[in-house]
Amino acid sequence: MSKEIPAQYDASQVEDKWYEYWMENNYFHSEPDDRESFTVVIPPPNVTGVLHMGHMLNNTIQDVLVRRARMQGYNACWVPGTDHASIATEAKVVKRLREKGIKKGDLERDEFLEHAWEWTHEHGGIILEQLKKLGASCDWDRTNFTMNPEYSESVIDVFIDLYEKGKIYRGARMINWDPEAKTALSDEEVIHKEVNSKLYHIKYKIVGEDDFVTIATTRPETLLGDTAVCINPDDERYKHLHGKKVIVPLVDREVPIILDDYVDMEFGTGCLKVTPAHDENDYNLGQKHNLETINMLNEDGTVSEEGELYIGMDRFAVRKQIEKDLDEAGLLYKVEDYQNKVGYSERTDAVIEPRLSLQWWVSMKELSQPALENVMNDTVEFHPAKFKNTYRHWMENVRDWCISRQLWWGHRIPAWYNEDGDFVVAKTKAEAEEKLKIKGLKFKNLKQDEDVLDTWFSSWLWPISVFDPKYIGEYQEREPNSELDYYYPTKDLVTAPEIMFFWVARMIIAGYEYMDNKPFDNVYYTGIVRDKKGRKMSKSLGNSPDPIELIGKYGADGIRMGMLFATPAGNDLPFDEKLCEQGRNFCNKIWNAFRFLTMNMEDGVDYEPTTAINKDDISDRWMAARIQETIAGVNEDFDNYKLNDALKKVYSLIWDDFCDWYIELAKPMEYGQNIPKEKLNTALGFFEQLMKLLHPFMPFISEEIWQHIQERTEEEALLVSEWPEMDGSKMDEADLKLFDTLQQMVSSLRNIRAEVQVSPKEELDVLIQTKDQKTADAILSNRIVLEKLESIKSLEVGPDVEKPSVYSSSIVDGNEIYVPLEGLVDFEKERERIQKEIDRLEGFLKGINGKLSNEGFVNNAPETVVEKEKKKKADTEESLAKLREQLKDFED
RNA sequence: GCGUUCUUAGCUCAGUUGGUUAGAGCGCUACGUUGACAUCGUAGAGGUCGGCAGUUCGAAUCUGCCAGAACGCACCA
């Protein structure tokens, strides 16, 4: 033994070492050159976030794609960065200030932003550091942030540009109001959940009569804002009410009864209370029938002055109270259980209140047209393609995008207002003054819009702005060889289907609007990481393991493998630590295979891995062929984004083929001997190939072994080595077939031992009656395979080999294997075994005969298929004949 | 309500244009420590491919209906 290597692989020792080495040598950094670019932009995580299992999966996949591309000779560039995540971050800052006893309301905008930046600098980048532990080969020199000054400028430029093109407008509409975050949200940020609520039937007195009408509502508190009651004009029950008025309970407001066929006569009582300020449909009714709007809610969800009653109380407290008060007033007819869907804020989980409000909007219909077309025609490919349907559905029904947020943390809207309320959109106050002046409007004492932009309004520019944030201004004059042109469009985007609309769709829209080109060639949608109960892993549920702890326990390679192994594209990943364990075990297996080879090295001998093989050695020829076969398969899997299939092929090649068969066959026959130098060199050569194929998936252990195999210069590191190319000349189908037969024979012998309970150590006499001389010659010239893997005393092979009197047997490929086992064979058991096999084959034969005697089959099926059936029939009959003969041997 | 996608071994999933004796990993059972690895080896058990009907010479694969699940979209109080 020339080197001391520990018997167990210790990832923690190895992983940090190689990550540092890679960083020191700047391998991850990319500059434009003659090579084709392979660009990936990271889906920027929240700057104040921490790594969770979803990030682990997502970034592992990106790293696999990028590492392979780098080995393939592309100029690989993976741009990392973070997102300012307006709502989430502002909420965190507000919470932290509250803990310090500071209220947001007590601070000036600038003071608040100072706190936010402080928090960003403190926490920003933690998540990126965590990605390094995972092995992410990002170009860290290019780390970006959506609130960097230059990036921010591009966001503002785009806002101004779209405004000037008439694609952005300001308007009063019903919006989704988050009373917790106190901001408007886009439709995408509202999650509708089915909830158990109540349907309140409330009586409204008819003016001038003693009679009542009963309306049904799930939100009784909104009656404070009622300005009408609506019935269907065709409703016979209410004909007598036409033209009358009713009195809103408690507030005693007289409101008209209006007629509109919008009202469904079947639902509830057929009477609808109308609250134009707090329901989109009611708002439409209000517009149509010229109704007053009463804004009865404050921004925090409490009742406003306009509500008259319950002022300052939270809407849900009012709901309870008003139920009591209505009941006491005798106006509550009944309350029934009811299931309906309620909108919740995606970020704060607060119940959304529809609210009439003046906001900024992006007009989506026209903008999104190219984005729809180019996904449908596969210019941008979705993997898996099934997501095209969802995408199309959304895009075809796309609604205008509310982009203003009543927050401070984010990109402030570049709109400026004068004292009269006139406004212009301009980059600076000076420009705004100029613009107003030209229009002949007041231009002094301008105030900038208080609101910021939706975070996604900045991240939709990510694939562009990370390379050149000045593209708007310089769009026309941009140098032809700019970084943006070199890296754009990017190759693969890896993200979750959850943000298909939030982000993916909008990036494609921005790409066509500003680059006149797609932002990426492919979108790979990952699944959701779930726990054993099928729940999404989340911090709030506390069901997610800490990724960093997991890495400590199983190694980054182990976790990468574990996750990839279980996640076909677009399918959810039911996470189980067992997967990581499997990954760790695989590392150990690889490690020990390598360790075994080093144990065979002799002092003072130079070993040089080689791709040369011994042509006379079936195991060499077979291993070489298996590697070629795997390269072809893996490349195809990558082309189809089936990374888990690719990994499984590599896993099986290493564990099953290389470890279980090749190494076993490389072991010298005799005791205490080392593997000969030539054989070891070939084995090491194979090992190098294996490490190349493994590297994208498990970068650390592969690099570690690669560097152990030989001294390497910086240029020779595995991550910058060449991805293996398929070489058909190294793959002989006949070798694969022959070796497969030998493998089956070995397994048969082992099976016989197990059945008759003969120890693996006991030497057997083996007789093989082959179907022909050619097979016999092939087996005999490769008898070493059988002799090494089985304890064999004597081996007799040939078409005329006579079977012994008492034996156990097996049939492989039409060749009969006999093991004489005088005194060991249980006749009864053997008969049963043979009979069972005969029964099975007879059933099989029956099926084949059924087909072949069917004229329809013989006439219609392709010739090759018929031939195949005929061959099966012949083989099966042959085997059956042999088995029947054997059965006779055991009958007496 | 509309739409999309699923349903294959105890669990998690493969199965390419209809033609295999339906595969893998984990788990399970039995056996096994004289030269890598018990984070291991060898062998084995386990499935009427959700149900029913149809197309076809032939269906896990295509069609229809039914049952169940997931996701997306939608203003029904």
Side-chain angles (χ1 to χ4, degrees), chain A residues 362-370 395-398 400:
Chain A
V362 177
S363 172
M364 295 293 277
K365 200 79 204 165
E366 247 178 82
L367 264 185
S368 57
Q369 206 47 44
M395 285 297 247
E396 283 176 349
N397 299 290
V398 70
D400 285 358

Side-chain angles (χ1 to χ4, degrees), chain A residues 281-307:
Chain A
N281 301 301
D282 291 12
Y283 175 71
N284 294 336
L285 284 172
Q287 294 287 94
K288 199 167 155 191
H289 297 272
N290 239 329
L291 299 176
E292 196 190 338
T293 58
I294 299 173
N295 196 340
M296 45 81 51
L297 281 180
N298 289 315
E299 59 177 25
D300 60 356
T302 58
V303 175
S304 70
E305 299 279 336
E306 285 185 61

Side-chain angles (χ1 to χ4, degrees), chain A residues 453-735:
Chain A
L453 291 162
D454 180 6
T455 304
W456 301 104
F457 190 88
S458 61
S459 42
W460 72 334
L461 307 173
W462 189 247
I464 310 173
S465 291
V466 294
F467 295 112
D468 180 3
K470 297 194 185 306
Y471 55 96
I472 295 277
E474 296 170 5
Y475 187 59
Q476 303 299 335
E477 313 94 81
R478 195 168 64 234
E479 284 178 34
N481 291 321
S482 74
E483 287 216 334
L484 182 53
D485 286 318
Y486 181 74
Y487 290 113
Y488 190 101
T490 70
K491 281 282 190 299
D492 297 328
L493 178 80
V494 181
T495 192
E498 301 166 286
I499 54 175
M500 189 186 326
F501 311 134
F502 279 118
W503 194 44
V504 179
R506 287 170 182 156
M507 272 191 289
I508 301 175
I509 292 172
Y512 281 102
E513 182 68 16
Y514 287 105
M515 297 299 290
D516 205 17
N517 199 354
K518 59 186 167 181
F520 25 72
D521 296 341
N522 299 285
V523 183
Y524 178 111
Y525 289 104
T526 66
I528 295 165
V529 184
R530 298 184 182 278
D531 69 6
K532 280 181 196 163
K533 291 177 187 158
R535 299 174 306 179
K536 186 179 165 182
M537 281 190 172
S538 74
K539 244 194 351 199
S540 50
L541 276 173
N543 58 350
S544 175
D546 174 15
I548 299 304
E549 275 177 32
L550 275 185
I551 289 175
K553 217 162 145 193
Y554 300 102
D557 282 334
I559 294 167
R560 290 167 65 115
M561 197 213 102
M563 299 194 89
L564 282 172
F565 220 63
T567 174
N571 277 23
D572 287 356
L573 167 63
F575 186 79
D576 188 334
E577 265 197 50
K578 269 251 147 40
L579 292 167
C580 300
E581 205 180 304
Q582 209 185 330
R584 182 200 58 188
N585 293 355
F586 185 40
C587 286
N588 198 53
K589 185 73 183 179
I590 297 167
W591 182 247
N592 274 287
F594 176 67
R595 178 167 164 255
F596 175 71
L597 295 187
T598 62
M599 287 168 74
N600 279 272
M601 290 178 177
E602 281 163 28
D603 285 331
V605 179
D606 279 337
Y607 292 91
E608 278 181 35
T610 175
T611 52
I613 62 165
N614 178 359
K615 292 261 197 280
D616 297 330
D617 185 336
I618 180 73
S619 70
D620 277 7
R621 299 201 311 272
W622 168 76
M623 192 65 216
R626 280 290 299 126
I627 288 175
Q628 294 310 315
E629 205 174 36
T630 306
I631 292 170
V634 164
N635 283 337
E636 200 187 324
D637 288 338
F638 266 103
D639 288 345
N640 296 315
Y641 290 83
K642 294 185 167 185
L643 303 196
N644 64 325
D645 286 343
L647 174 58
K648 279 175 183 173
K649 286 190 174 84
V650 175
Y651 177 86
S652 163
L653 179 70
I654 293 176
W655 198 311
D656 303 336
D657 296 333
F658 189 72
C659 293
D660 288 352
W661 292 94
Y662 187 78
I663 289 187
E664 288 308 317
L665 282 171
K667 287 180 180 172
M669 277 296 254
E670 278 152 64
Y671 238 48
Q673 289 225 327
N674 281 332
I675 297 172
K677 185 177 170 184
E678 281 70 31
K679 183 75 180 175
L680 199 45
N681 282 339
T682 302
L684 289 170
F686 284 144
F687 219 133
E688 286 191 344
Q689 297 276 302
L690 301 181
M691 291 306 98
K692 283 184 173 189
L693 288 170
L694 183 67
H695 185 260
F697 305 102
M698 304 174 83
F700 294 110
I701 189 170
S702 53
E703 182 79 73
E704 168 77 3
I705 287 177
W706 176 262
Q707 300 277 355
H708 265 294
I709 291 175
Q710 279 191 83
E711 293 274 326
R712 315 273 182 178
T713 63
E714 286 83 0
E715 289 77 30
E716 291 166 347
L718 180 58
L719 86 164
V720 288
S721 70
E722 267 179 53
W723 181 252
E725 272 196 44
M726 165 76 183
D727 179 353
S729 71
K730 288 181 179 164
M731 197 177 123
D732 187 335
E733 295 285 349
D735 287 337

